[in-house]
Amino acid sequence: MITVTETAVDKIKEMLASEEIPNLFLRVGVKEGGCSGFSYGMGFDDERHDGDQELESNGLKVVVDSDSIKYLNGLEIDWKEQAMGGGFTIHNPNATVTCGCGSSFRTAKEAGNPAADPC
């Protein structure tokens, strides 16, 4: 299960509306790399692939590929406003180590493939 907070859903829906492409959804995934071994990927897509899992959170359609879902169970995506603008934050209960920039992680069982360059 992935949770997208109401604040984040509002921001994502605002961004989706500006794209003017029908049937877009949020795709969330994981790939090897980043400071800690795995990095998050999040973007809009309109194509589904074999093995994709479709979820819904606060009325938002979220699609995750079958390789990534095991790293993202319990994930929460939020939107935080800050003095210099805002941004998405990710809380992953599966992460045992995260990098300073918050965009990469490793789990207790898998370390991924950390990049040589830090965030």
Side-chain angles (χ1 to χ4, degrees), residues 47-112:
E47 292 184 33
R48 286 179 185 72
H49 308 285
D50 289 341
D52 279 351
Q53 294 188 27
E54 185 176 311
L55 315 162
E56 188 173 309
S57 182
N58 285 316
L60 179 70
K61 188 184 304 182
V62 181
V63 174
V64 181
D65 65 88
S66 60
D67 292 334
S68 297
I69 197 74
K70 64 184 172 185
Y71 303 113
L72 301 177
N73 190 33
L75 187 84
E76 180 185 76
I77 300 170
D78 195 9
W79 173 265
K80 301 283 187 195
E81 284 292 337
Q82 299 172 352
M84 299 297 288
F88 291 102
T89 61
I90 296 176
H91 172 71
N92 186 346
N94 304 298
T96 57
V97 174
T98 59
C99 68
C101 62
S103 64
S104 72
F105 69 100
R106 92 176 49 136
T107 67
K109 294 181 179 178
E110 297 189 50

Side-chain angles (χ1 to χ4, degrees), residues 32-37 113-118:
E32 287 194 353
C35 306
S36 299
N113 186 17
D117 295 331

